[in-house]
Structure formats: structure tokens, C-alpha cells
Amino acid sequence: VVERGPGAVYAAFVLMEELLDKMKLLSYEEEALRRHNMRPLSRCSSPAPSGTGRLWGRVGGGSRHYFALPTNPGEQFFMFCTLAAWLITKAGRRFEQPQEYDDPNAIISKILSELRSFGRPVDFPPSKLKAGYGEQACYVLDCLAEEALKYSGFSWKRPVYPTDELEEEEITEDDKELTLNKLEEDVAEEESDNEEDFIDLNVLKAQTYRLDVKDSTKQEEILQSTTDAAEWNLEVERVLPQLKVTVRTDNKDWRIHVDQMHQHKDGIESSLKETRGYLDKFHNEISRTLEKISSREKYINSQLEHLVQEYRSAQALLSEAKEKYQEGSGGVTERIRVLSEITELLEKVKQETEEKGSSMTDGTPLVRIKQALTKLKQETIQMDIQIGVMEHTLLQSKLKEKSNMTRDMHAAVIPEASIGAY
């Protein structure tokens, strides 16, 4: 198992930001979201398209980390499937847009099969994609976005940084205040001017001679001052604020960073000298303690070796006894089962015996027989009556039939006689 660092928790956020940039390069807002009436991932949520209420719920985007944080599994899964299908089609493959009644497992298997066909490894179970968020969902969409960019012929180039001219900051200066930056600029300008100009020694000597002559004349003039002391003090007070130098510290200056680094280095070295002694002391104490523990363990092992052998033999005997106990307990269980079956048979036999005994001593069957005989007699009488009625009816029908036959016979003979008479 590959151990992951503490920063692996935030891998989904990094993947999501890269994915959003790649989809913007592919114009996902115009081609994918507007077609399905959805808003971009960096805006507020919007309702789902018509006909997708039951499976997908409401669709939208919460932030740039939409697929990295759980908000609504239904809408996130719909957004994931929609973007995955669009990216696969952008990569040159045919892929049907997921519908309301499609099986989520089937959709996920199709997306993963397309991802494997691009040569991308899939080392996680498909159930991780059902929630529609997480590192796996960001990974799948990021791989599909890369394949779509490759198919469209897009290639990453080195960034070209714009050369912005550094504008001089306009510092609102007080008339009575002079900043250190202005002083440094003035000094630098003077040095550059001095370096650019060529100096002639003869001209410099003539200038110094004239200056010395003027200074000597000025010194003779100011031997006796005519300036009022009060006016002088007022002039000093007026000029004094302009001679004040204020140093404005800039935290972005590299010199301050270097000074801080040197200060921290000195502090670390001074602290390390003090703590190294304690650490060496702790190391020596721990090493001595470990040596003592190892020696004590060896001594204890040597002293208790025979007891360990006895313990092992006792363990072997205990295991044998457990095996015998298990065998015996198995036989006892079988016998208990047979006993329960025999007990059930015995209970049945007892119940049948009790029923037969109660029926032998009880007069209820005799009473039932008498009642049955009485009922049979009544039924026999009724049957005799019915038989007599039937015999009488049969006799009447026979007599009637006989009288009809004789009448027919007389009717047939009489006409013959009348015919002979005429």
C-alpha cells in the first residue's frame, strides 16, 4: 500500500481547479451547460432541466471546488455524468447523453471503459463515482479533459510574462519632510553624473584657487556678525523640519528579508548549541537504558528457560486435552439428539395409549351407536314408505297402459266388422 502524505487530503481541490481551467479552455459553458440549461460551476445553483426531477434532482455549481466537496449527491452525479459524456464526445468518441431512467451503474461502467480505452489507469472501485464528488470524480473528469484537449490539438506553452514598466510611486511628501529614498536617489544621480563627466585637473586647481580667494574674503567679512539672534533662531526653527530624515520600512524589500534570515539563523544556532547538549545527554541516557534492558532480558530468559519449556509442554498437553474434549463433546451431542428422538416417540406412544384407554372406559361410543341405529331405523321406515308409493305408482301406470292397449285393440276390430256388413 502506497503511503500518502498529509497533503493528499487537498489533492481533490487541486485537481478540481485544474479541471475547471481545462474545461474553460474547451468552452464548456457555451457547449455543455447552456445546452442543458445549467449554470457554470463557479456560480450559484440553478434548477435541473425538465424531465430529470426523480433521478437527478436540482443541478448547479457551488464554487470552484464543486466536485471536491459534498453538497447534493443527486445533482453532483448528474453534473458529473453530463460533463463526462460531453468530454468523451469532445475527445472524438461517440457517447450517448445519460437520461432519467438510465442505470447509474451502467453509466459509470461505460465512462470507465472509455477512460481505460484512452490508456488511463483506474485503480478504484466504480462505487466511488456514485456520489458524484471526491478525488476519483475529479480524476476521471481531469483525464477526459486532457484527452479532449489533445484531440482538439491544444498544447500547453510556456507562460509569457508581460514586461510591465515599474511606475514610480507618487509619494505625497510634506514640504517639511525629507524621505530616505529621495536622498538615495539624489546621491545615485550625483554619482552617475560624476562618473559620466570627465574631470580636468588643471581646471580643478584653478577653481579651487578661486574658491580659496573667495572664502578668504568671506571670512574677513564675517569676522563681525550683523545677524540678529532672534531672527537666526526663527530661521533654524523654520528649516529644522526639512532636515528631518524618516525611514519608511517596506516589508517587501529583500534587504529586510535577508536581515530577518540572518537574525533567525543566529537565533537557531544559539538555541541549537543549548539544545544539542540536552539532546546528547538524552541520547546517552536512552542508550544506557536500552543496554540495561537488553541485558536484563537476556538474564531473565536464561533464568526462566526451564519454566518456558514446562509451559510449552503444558500447552501441548492442554491442546491434546482440548481435542479429546471436542471429540467427546461431539459424541455426547449425537447421543443427546438420539435421546430427544426416542423421547418424542415415547410421548407419542403414551398419548395414543391414553386415548385408547379413555375410549375403552368411556360409554360415548355406545351412545353414538344407539343413536346411529335409531337413525337407521327411521331412514328404513321412510325408505319402505317411498318404495310402497313407487310400487303403487308403477302398478297404476301398468293398469293404465293395459286399459289403453285393450281399448286400442277393440277400436281396431270394430271397423273391420262394420266394413264386412256393408
Side-chain angles (χ1 to χ4, degrees):
V1 179
V2 180
E3 294 184 359
R4 306 179 69 186
V9 181
Y10 306 99
F13 297 92
V14 178
L15 275 174
M16 182 60 207
E17 290 187 356
E18 294 178 357
L19 169 64
L20 192 59
D21 294 335
K22 292 172 185 176
M23 288 196 298
K24 284 182 179 179
L25 291 173
L26 293 168
S27 303
Y28 82 104
E29 296 180 0
E30 292 79 6
E31 297 184 11
L33 298 185
R34 289 183 183 176
R35 185 183 301 173
H36 299 284
N37 194 19
M38 294 182 294
R39 292 191 179 182
L41 301 181
S42 58
R43 298 183 186 176
C44 60
S45 62
S46 62
S50 60
T52 58
R54 225 170 30 158
L55 180 60
W56 307 116
R58 293 179 63 83
V59 181
S63 64
R64 287 178 62 86
H65 305 128
Y66 180 72
F67 290 113
L69 296 171
T71 55
N72 190 336
E75 71 177 41
Q76 286 177 309
F77 182 71
F78 172 70
M79 181 69 79
F80 168 77
C81 295
T82 304
L83 292 178
W86 174 72
L87 289 171
I88 291 169
T89 55
K90 289 289 286 184
R93 305 290 181 88
R94 295 186 63 184
F95 196 88
E96 296 182 359
Q97 183 66 30
Q99 300 299 325
E100 178 184 359
Y101 295 102
D102 290 346
D103 186 11
N105 296 320
I107 298 171
I108 291 170
S109 64
K110 289 179 182 178
I111 293 171
L112 291 180
S113 64
E114 292 291 338
L115 187 63
R116 292 189 186 95
S117 67
F118 287 121
R120 299 284 183 165
V122 179
D123 54 355
F124 55 86
S127 59
K128 293 283 186 180
L129 300 176
K130 273 192 175 181
Y133 67 89
E135 185 179 353
Q136 292 78 14
C138 295
Y139 167 75
V140 171
L141 292 176
D142 185 65
C143 293
L144 294 175
E146 288 183 0
E147 296 297 330
L149 288 173
K150 287 180 184 178
Y151 184 77
S152 62
F154 179 82
S155 61
W156 297 99
K157 298 179 181 179
R158 291 183 177 275
V160 179
Y161 298 103
T163 56
D164 295 333
E165 294 181 359
L166 297 174
E167 298 179 355
E168 296 180 356
E169 296 180 356
E170 296 180 357
I171 303 172
T172 57
E173 297 179 355
D174 234 349
D175 292 338
K176 301 179 181 180
E177 189 173 354
L178 184 65
T179 59
L180 183 61
N181 294 331
K182 188 174 181 181
L183 283 175
E184 289 179 355
E185 291 175 0
D186 295 338
V187 171
E189 288 178 359
E190 289 178 1
E191 288 179 356
S192 61
D193 294 338
N194 293 331
E195 288 176 358
E196 291 176 358
D197 296 334
F198 295 99
I199 300 173
D200 192 357
L201 294 176
N202 295 324
V203 176
L204 185 62
K205 286 179 182 179
Q207 290 177 357
T208 53
Y209 178 73
R210 287 195 297 270
L211 288 172
D212 291 338
V213 172
K214 289 180 180 179
D215 291 338
S216 63
T217 57
K218 285 182 179 180
Q219 287 176 2
E220 289 177 358
E221 290 177 357
I222 64 173
L223 287 175
Q224 187 176 1
S225 177
T226 57
T227 306
D228 189 7
E231 293 179 357
W232 181 263
N233 289 329
L234 288 173
E235 183 68 19
V236 169
E237 290 178 358
R238 186 181 68 80
V239 178
L240 185 61
Q242 298 181 4
L243 301 177
K244 192 180 294 182
V245 178
T246 60
V247 180
R248 295 182 179 180
T249 59
D250 189 6
N251 293 327
K252 296 181 180 179
D253 191 7
W254 63 272
R255 298 181 183 87
I256 295 173
H257 292 173
V258 172
D259 294 337
Q260 289 179 356
M261 289 170 64
H262 286 300
Q263 290 176 4
H264 292 320
K265 182 182 178 184
D266 295 336
I268 290 169
E269 288 179 352
S270 61
S271 301
L272 184 62
K273 288 179 182 178
E274 185 177 358
T275 55
R276 184 172 289 174
Y278 292 112
L279 292 174
D280 293 336
K281 186 177 179 181
F282 287 148
H283 176 70
N284 295 328
E285 289 179 357
I286 291 169
S287 59
R288 287 197 298 270
T289 305
L290 290 173
E291 289 177 357
K292 288 181 181 178
I293 290 169
S294 61
S295 62
R296 293 289 176 85
E297 285 180 352
K298 290 178 182 178
Y299 175 74
I300 290 170
N301 290 331
S302 62
Q303 292 293 325
L304 301 177
E305 187 174 359
H306 64 283
L307 295 176
V308 172
Q309 294 293 335
E310 292 179 359
Y311 176 74
R312 288 175 181 171
S313 61
Q315 284 289 108
L317 293 173
L318 179 62
S319 62
E320 291 178 359
K322 284 182 179 179
E323 290 179 358
K324 291 180 180 178
Y325 172 74
Q326 290 177 357
E327 292 177 358
S329 62
V332 170
T333 305
E334 184 65 24
R335 290 181 177 81
I336 289 171
R337 187 182 64 79
V338 174
L339 178 62
S340 63
E341 292 178 356
I342 294 170
T343 305
E344 289 178 359
L345 291 173
L346 181 61
E347 290 294 331
K348 288 181 181 179
V349 171
K350 285 182 178 179
Q351 188 175 359
E352 290 177 357
T353 306
E354 288 178 357
E355 289 178 356
K356 290 181 179 180
S358 61
S359 63
M360 289 175 66
T361 55
D362 193 7
T364 304
L366 185 60
V367 173
R368 289 177 181 175
I369 290 169
K370 288 181 179 180
Q371 291 177 355
L373 289 173
T374 306
K375 191 175 181 180
L376 285 172
K377 287 179 180 179
Q378 292 177 357
E379 289 179 355
T380 304
I381 292 168
Q382 290 179 0
M383 288 296 292
D384 290 338
I385 293 169
Q386 291 178 0
I387 289 168
V389 172
M390 291 296 292
E391 287 179 352
H392 177 72
T393 305
L394 182 61
L395 181 61
Q396 289 292 329
S397 63
K398 284 181 178 181
L399 291 174
K400 189 176 182 179
E401 185 180 358
K402 189 176 181 181
S403 62
N404 291 333
M405 286 176 66
T406 54
R407 189 178 64 245
D408 293 337
M409 288 174 65
H410 288 296
V413 172
I414 291 169
E416 290 179 358
S418 62
I419 289 169
Y422 286 104

Short mmCIF file of all heavy atoms in Angstrom, two decimals, residues 11-13 15-16 66-70 76 128-129 131-140:
data_model
loop_
_atom_site.label_atom_id
_atom_site.label_comp_id
_atom_site.label_asym_id
_atom_site.label_seq_id
_atom_site.Cartn_x
_atom_site.Cartn_y
_atom_site.Cartn_z
N ALA A 11 -5.75 17.01 -2.38
CA ALA A 11 -5.48 16.71 -3.80
C ALA A 11 -6.72 16.95 -4.66
O ALA A 11 -6.62 17.39 -5.80
CB ALA A 11 -4.99 15.27 -3.94
N ALA A 12 -7.90 16.67 -4.10
CA ALA A 12 -9.14 16.86 -4.87
C ALA A 12 -9.35 18.33 -5.21
O ALA A 12 -9.83 18.67 -6.30
CB ALA A 12 -10.34 16.32 -4.08
N PHE A 13 -8.97 19.24 -4.30
CA PHE A 13 -9.15 20.66 -4.57
C PHE A 13 -8.23 21.12 -5.70
O PHE A 13 -8.63 21.90 -6.57
CB PHE A 13 -8.87 21.46 -3.30
CG PHE A 13 -9.81 21.16 -2.18
CD1 PHE A 13 -9.51 20.19 -1.24
CD2 PHE A 13 -11.02 21.84 -2.06
CE1 PHE A 13 -10.38 19.90 -0.20
CE2 PHE A 13 -11.89 21.57 -1.03
CZ PHE A 13 -11.58 20.59 -0.11
N LEU A 15 -6.97 19.19 -8.10
CA LEU A 15 -7.47 18.60 -9.34
C LEU A 15 -8.69 19.36 -9.86
O LEU A 15 -8.84 19.57 -11.07
CB LEU A 15 -7.85 17.13 -9.10
CG LEU A 15 -6.73 16.09 -9.21
CD1 LEU A 15 -7.26 14.73 -8.81
CD2 LEU A 15 -6.17 16.04 -10.61
N MET A 16 -9.57 19.79 -8.95
CA MET A 16 -10.78 20.48 -9.37
C MET A 16 -10.45 21.83 -10.00
O MET A 16 -11.05 22.22 -11.01
CB MET A 16 -11.69 20.67 -8.14
CG MET A 16 -13.00 21.34 -8.46
SD MET A 16 -13.97 20.40 -9.67
CE MET A 16 -14.92 21.70 -10.43
N TYR A 66 -16.44 22.43 -6.80
CA TYR A 66 -17.78 21.82 -6.82
C TYR A 66 -17.70 20.31 -6.62
O TYR A 66 -18.44 19.74 -5.83
CB TYR A 66 -18.46 22.15 -8.14
CG TYR A 66 -19.84 21.56 -8.26
CD1 TYR A 66 -20.90 22.06 -7.54
CD2 TYR A 66 -20.08 20.48 -9.11
CE1 TYR A 66 -22.16 21.53 -7.65
CE2 TYR A 66 -21.34 19.94 -9.23
CZ TYR A 66 -22.37 20.47 -8.49
OH TYR A 66 -23.60 19.93 -8.59
N PHE A 67 -16.80 19.61 -7.35
CA PHE A 67 -16.69 18.17 -7.25
C PHE A 67 -15.77 17.71 -6.12
O PHE A 67 -15.55 16.52 -5.96
CB PHE A 67 -16.18 17.58 -8.58
CG PHE A 67 -17.17 17.67 -9.69
CD1 PHE A 67 -16.95 18.49 -10.77
CD2 PHE A 67 -18.35 16.96 -9.65
CE1 PHE A 67 -17.86 18.59 -11.80
CE2 PHE A 67 -19.27 17.04 -10.66
CZ PHE A 67 -19.03 17.87 -11.74
N ALA A 68 -15.19 18.64 -5.37
CA ALA A 68 -14.30 18.25 -4.27
C ALA A 68 -15.04 18.19 -2.94
O ALA A 68 -14.58 17.51 -2.02
CB ALA A 68 -13.13 19.23 -4.17
N LEU A 69 -16.20 18.86 -2.83
CA LEU A 69 -16.94 18.90 -1.57
C LEU A 69 -18.33 18.31 -1.77
O LEU A 69 -18.94 18.51 -2.81
CB LEU A 69 -17.07 20.34 -1.08
CG LEU A 69 -15.76 21.06 -0.73
CD1 LEU A 69 -16.03 22.53 -0.48
CD2 LEU A 69 -15.13 20.43 0.49
N PRO A 70 -18.85 17.57 -0.79
CA PRO A 70 -20.21 17.02 -0.91
C PRO A 70 -21.26 18.09 -0.63
O PRO A 70 -21.27 18.69 0.44
CB PRO A 70 -20.22 15.91 0.16
CG PRO A 70 -19.21 16.34 1.16
CD PRO A 70 -18.15 17.10 0.42
N GLN A 76 -24.86 16.47 -8.09
CA GLN A 76 -23.44 16.32 -8.45
C GLN A 76 -23.24 15.13 -9.39
O GLN A 76 -22.42 15.19 -10.30
CB GLN A 76 -22.61 16.15 -7.18
CG GLN A 76 -22.44 17.45 -6.41
CD GLN A 76 -21.68 17.26 -5.13
OE1 GLN A 76 -21.97 16.39 -4.31
NE2 GLN A 76 -20.67 18.08 -4.91
N LYS A 128 -17.17 4.41 -6.06
CA LYS A 128 -16.68 5.71 -5.60
C LYS A 128 -17.26 6.86 -6.41
O LYS A 128 -17.30 8.01 -5.93
CB LYS A 128 -15.14 5.75 -5.68
CG LYS A 128 -14.44 4.81 -4.72
CD LYS A 128 -14.44 5.35 -3.32
CE LYS A 128 -13.62 4.49 -2.39
NZ LYS A 128 -13.63 5.02 -1.00
N LEU A 129 -17.70 6.57 -7.64
CA LEU A 129 -18.22 7.63 -8.50
C LEU A 129 -19.72 7.86 -8.32
O LEU A 129 -20.27 8.79 -8.91
CB LEU A 129 -17.93 7.30 -9.97
CG LEU A 129 -16.46 7.13 -10.34
CD1 LEU A 129 -16.34 6.72 -11.79
CD2 LEU A 129 -15.69 8.42 -10.09
N ALA A 131 -21.38 8.85 -5.75
CA ALA A 131 -21.70 10.07 -5.01
C ALA A 131 -21.58 11.31 -5.88
O ALA A 131 -22.19 12.33 -5.59
CB ALA A 131 -20.79 10.19 -3.79
N GLY A 132 -20.79 11.26 -6.95
CA GLY A 132 -20.64 12.41 -7.84
C GLY A 132 -19.64 13.44 -7.36
O GLY A 132 -19.54 14.52 -7.93
N TYR A 133 -18.88 13.16 -6.31
CA TYR A 133 -17.86 14.08 -5.83
C TYR A 133 -16.70 13.26 -5.28
O TYR A 133 -16.79 12.04 -5.14
CB TYR A 133 -18.40 15.02 -4.75
CG TYR A 133 -18.77 14.32 -3.46
CD1 TYR A 133 -17.85 14.13 -2.44
CD2 TYR A 133 -20.05 13.81 -3.27
CE1 TYR A 133 -18.18 13.48 -1.27
CE2 TYR A 133 -20.40 13.16 -2.10
CZ TYR A 133 -19.46 13.01 -1.10
OH TYR A 133 -19.77 12.35 0.05
N GLY A 134 -15.60 13.94 -4.98
CA GLY A 134 -14.44 13.26 -4.43
C GLY A 134 -13.26 13.29 -5.39
O GLY A 134 -13.33 13.77 -6.53
N GLU A 135 -12.15 12.77 -4.91
CA GLU A 135 -10.92 12.78 -5.70
C GLU A 135 -11.05 11.92 -6.96
O GLU A 135 -10.51 12.26 -8.01
CB GLU A 135 -9.75 12.26 -4.84
CG GLU A 135 -8.40 12.34 -5.51
CD GLU A 135 -7.28 11.85 -4.60
OE1 GLU A 135 -7.54 11.59 -3.42
OE2 GLU A 135 -6.14 11.74 -5.09
N GLN A 136 -11.80 10.79 -6.86
CA GLN A 136 -11.94 9.91 -8.03
C GLN A 136 -12.73 10.60 -9.15
O GLN A 136 -12.37 10.52 -10.32
CB GLN A 136 -12.63 8.60 -7.62
CG GLN A 136 -11.79 7.71 -6.72
CD GLN A 136 -11.77 8.14 -5.29
OE1 GLN A 136 -12.59 8.96 -4.89
NE2 GLN A 136 -10.87 7.61 -4.49
N ALA A 137 -13.82 11.30 -8.78
CA ALA A 137 -14.60 12.01 -9.80
C ALA A 137 -13.77 13.10 -10.47
O ALA A 137 -13.80 13.27 -11.69
CB ALA A 137 -15.87 12.61 -9.17
N CYS A 138 -12.99 13.85 -9.67
CA CYS A 138 -12.14 14.89 -10.25
C CYS A 138 -11.08 14.27 -11.16
O CYS A 138 -10.75 14.82 -12.22
CB CYS A 138 -11.48 15.69 -9.13
SG CYS A 138 -12.63 16.63 -8.12
N TYR A 139 -10.55 13.09 -10.74
CA TYR A 139 -9.53 12.43 -11.56
C TYR A 139 -10.09 12.00 -12.92
O TYR A 139 -9.47 12.22 -13.97
CB TYR A 139 -8.98 11.22 -10.79
CG TYR A 139 -8.15 10.28 -11.63
CD1 TYR A 139 -6.85 10.61 -11.99
CD2 TYR A 139 -8.67 9.07 -12.07
CE1 TYR A 139 -6.09 9.76 -12.77
CE2 TYR A 139 -7.92 8.21 -12.84
CZ TYR A 139 -6.61 8.55 -13.18
OH TYR A 139 -5.88 7.70 -13.96
N VAL A 140 -11.29 11.42 -12.92
CA VAL A 140 -11.90 10.95 -14.19
C VAL A 140 -12.15 12.12 -15.13
O VAL A 140 -11.79 12.09 -16.30
CB VAL A 140 -13.20 10.19 -13.88
CG1 VAL A 140 -13.95 9.88 -15.17
CG2 VAL A 140 -12.89 8.89 -13.15
#
